[in-house]
Amino acid sequence: MSENTSIERVVGIDLGTTNSLVAYMQGDQPVVIPGVDGSNLVPSIVALDPVDPAAESSRPTVTVGNTARRSLIATPERAIYSVKRLMGRGLEDVREELKLFPFHLAEDLQPGEVLRIRLGELTFTPPEISAYVLRQLKRNAERYFGSPVTKAVITVPAYFNDAQRQATRDAGRMAGLDVLRLVNEPTAAALAYGLDRAKEGIIAVYDFGGGTFDVSILKLNDGIFEVIATNGDTHLGGDDIDNLLSAVAIDEIFNDHGIDLRQQPDAIQAVRKAVIEAKIALSTQPAALLDLELPGGLRYQREIPRPVYEQLIAGVLARTAAPCRQAMADAGITPDQIDEVVLVGGSTRIPAVRTLVDQLFHLSARGKQPHTDLNPDEVVALGAAVQANILAGSSAVTDDLLLLDVTPLSLGIEALGGVVARIIQRNSTIPASATEHFTTGVDGQTNVAIHVVQGERELASDCRSLARFDLKGIPPMPAGLPRIEVKFLIDANGILQVSAREQRSGQQASIEVKPTYGLTDDQVETMILDSFDNAEADFEQRQLIEARLEAETILAAVAKAPENPAWQLLTPDEVGAIESTARALEAAKLGSDLAIIRLCVTALDQTTRRFAELMMDQAVSSAMRGKTMQVAGDQLHSSDTIHAPHQFAPAEFE
Amino acid sequence: MDTPRTNESNCWACHASLAASPLLCPHCGKVQPSAGINYFQAFAAVTGGQPLLTLDLAALEREFHRLSRKLHPDRFARASEGEQAWSLAATALLNDAYRALKDPVQRTEYLLELKGQGVGEQNAGRNKSADRQPPADLLEEVFELNMQLEELRMNQKMGEDDPALTADLTRAQAHFDGLLAQVDSDLASQAALWDSGDDTARAAALKSMASLLDRRRYLRNLVRDVKDALATPAL
């Protein structure tokens, strides 16, 4: 596994709304690093385990990923998902959002403060929660390599603003990662695709993920990936479809059964889980069934035919069209000039999305098809690994590749009357800079305040406030005489840096930055200490606990395995191997040797691999037979208690 | 701007001449400090380091890509902090320069700024009202147009439709579009004069380009206003 341990590896991380992944370059190919459960995807879910009152430590264990997913329904008040939507945002931004997500903000939250979310008895900022996800990915990579990993490239939505980018970088730092670069997700995807073939021409990346939508137009030229325009919506994704379907189901349940689920977080989560399953099924099947057990022994069943579903989500999908058109307009091109379209993000599996993309970019009309050969869930992480390799300079494969990205939003300063003076236009290649001169309005004035905003609107109050800079230590002079040169520079991460000096006196003016939405360096420092340093003391201990938990999870699954029909298909040798490796893990779990437990977990993982495959085959073939759908349909038909009050058309059966 | 760098600068590492490539030493390939280098100097391979207004765009792009490959911060992720800072500054300058030089209007604006004929010193942002002063020869037409625009907006508010007025405005838009095209062609001739003329001719060209750019900004806003008004559907 470790080909070269002397050079420290740089990994690529896709910190997604729904799932997160870590990847690296294995030779000349990027590959995703699986977790201990064998899965490439780590669900971006963080949960607190219930505190054992008898335990010495008062801090509960934090779990991440699939383990945390279970808590989402069992103890929803101790779990959180889709936290990416809250990164770099203020209280007033997320009010609407929180109506749809069953999260609770800290009660003592002050306006202007960075959000804190309540999980059980503790509160966390969004970067802290993301840091737990990142730490899990870091550990997965460390386990895989057998050596420490401290450097990473992390992807962000192209349309992320400065605060959202800073929050992501802060999360990396809290997780103990040196974030060498933030890369835009659609650009990373283009990189993953462009690696195999030396391409030329104009490509569009349509990236419709769990929580964000991006579109980027790139020009490929001899290994240079030059972004010419980007656009998007950082609050548009599969989540919106889930919320919409959940709202409809909750309404229907209320109308049919008089049960109001809105005050029951666990029930909301169960509804959400069911609608997500239905949504996924609807990408490959003509209809899906929502089947929910309600409190009081009642049952909610509803068939959703695909046309009804498509009508329902049309509004959400349509919101991706305007950013695409704007990006093409900004790039100065027409759809017919686009040579290739790359689809990224799980939501691009929806057939209606593909139809929309086809229309937007005139694809089938020109005999073209969008690129979907790489797994849309993995392509961003793969691209991040390529960029990580470029930065590490560690192999000839990526020597000729270079990404030239742009800033998605214009940067401006608030001028007299509250209007915005734009100093760096959107879609400028980054790094980009602008120099502005300021002076004083009053004799002897020693401070000048600058308000920096991001956005395309005319009034500063309609744009995103980035920060207020206070230029201090200006030598006292008559009004208008000082000449303060302020340099604004957007770096390769899309993050703003500001420096200033007074030119007549030659003095370096000091700048005090008050980020509008974000943590100060000191706050980030304490969060590193809070979440990790205290824990570092019992790091070994915690790893052991986690390894035992993993062991229990796997053993529980193995114990139930014989009930599955797939078990019968195993040879006696295979059954014997599973049983003996399971016994070994049972024994190892009782001991406290971390390495041995992990070894046994891996062994059991391997002996059960064929069983897992068989099980999947079974699931696939039973779905193909349509048996489940038919049975479900009959049940629905025989029930008189369900009506479709609105939106969902009445279920029709022949 | 810092003290302007002369074309005779030398590489900090190997002392080779930087005349043809001020951001990147042509001899040892080291990134150079970029303070005091103007946009035309950054593209010395294309401009000869001179403020030229007629540029080969394909050559400009090739040079942009060539320098980007060498200067970009991605190439310095493992370099010393000092070189990383130089790479960042040099790449920002390269990008700013490419953005300005590839567009004829921005290129001219930059030249005027360089020659002290720019928008002037700004106090917390640009002076937007300057673009709202109509050029003297257009006063009458603009007055008439504004009346018509006002009328159109009133009609739209009342939900009325006046085809004659719409036709007038569409004609006016075409007229001002034509004026705009004339300005662009005048700018191009002045640019040629700037590139080839003697000092007196250049000074004159600079002056006319400054006023042509003002006129252009004004006309562009005007055309945009008319377009917006015509595109607004009646309520």
Side-chain angles (χ1 to χ4, degrees), chain A residues 582-598:
Chain A
R583 270 196 305 276
L585 182 57
E586 281 287 2
K589 183 169 75 84
L590 300 174
S592 47
D593 190 327
L594 184 64
I596 289 182
I597 298 178
R598 284 189 177 160

Side-chain angles (χ1 to χ4, degrees), chain A residues 223-297:
Chain A
I224 292 192
F225 290 65
E226 188 179 354
V227 179
I228 38 184
T230 193
N231 211 293
D233 187 333
T234 56
H235 280 74
L236 177 59
D239 273 356
D240 293 287
I241 294 173
D242 305 343
N243 288 339
L244 187 68
L245 295 178
S246 298
V248 172
I250 288 169
D251 263 18
E252 246 187 29
I253 290 167
F254 183 67
N255 289 342
D256 292 354
H257 301 288
I259 299 172
D260 187 357
L261 297 181
R262 275 166 299 186
Q263 300 312 318
Q264 306 178 31
D266 51 340
I268 291 181
Q269 284 313 316
V271 171
R272 191 169 171 275
K273 184 165 174 279
V275 300
I276 290 172
E277 281 163 8
K279 174 182 80 171
I280 292 169
L282 280 163
S283 285
T284 51
Q285 294 168 18
L289 182 79
L290 270 183
D291 184 357
L292 275 164
E293 222 169 288
L294 300 176

Side-chain angles (χ1 to χ4, degrees), chain A residues 181 219 222 224 226 387 391-392 399-402 415 420 428-433 436-437 458 483 485, chain B residues 1-2 61 64-65 68-69 72-75 77-78 88 91-92 95-96 99 121-126 128:
Chain A
R181 179 76 80 248
K219 204 159 101 183
D222 197 22
I224 292 192
E226 188 179 354
Q387 176 67 9
L391 293 177
D399 255 8
D400 293 328
L401 297 183
L402 180 64
V420 177
S428 293
T429 306
I430 52 171
S433 69
E436 290 288 315
H437 295 102
E458 288 295 318
R483 190 182 147 93
E485 183 184 88
Chain B
M1 287 276 156
D2 301 62
E61 187 183 42
F64 172 60
H65 284 164
S68 292
R69 278 186 203 279
H72 197 274
D74 280 6
R75 299 283 178 233
R78 291 158 305 143
L88 179 60
T91 310
N95 290 339
D96 297 345
R99 196 158 45 246
E121 208 158 295
Q122 295 126 18
N123 186 356
R126 306 198 193 290
K128 294 198 155 193

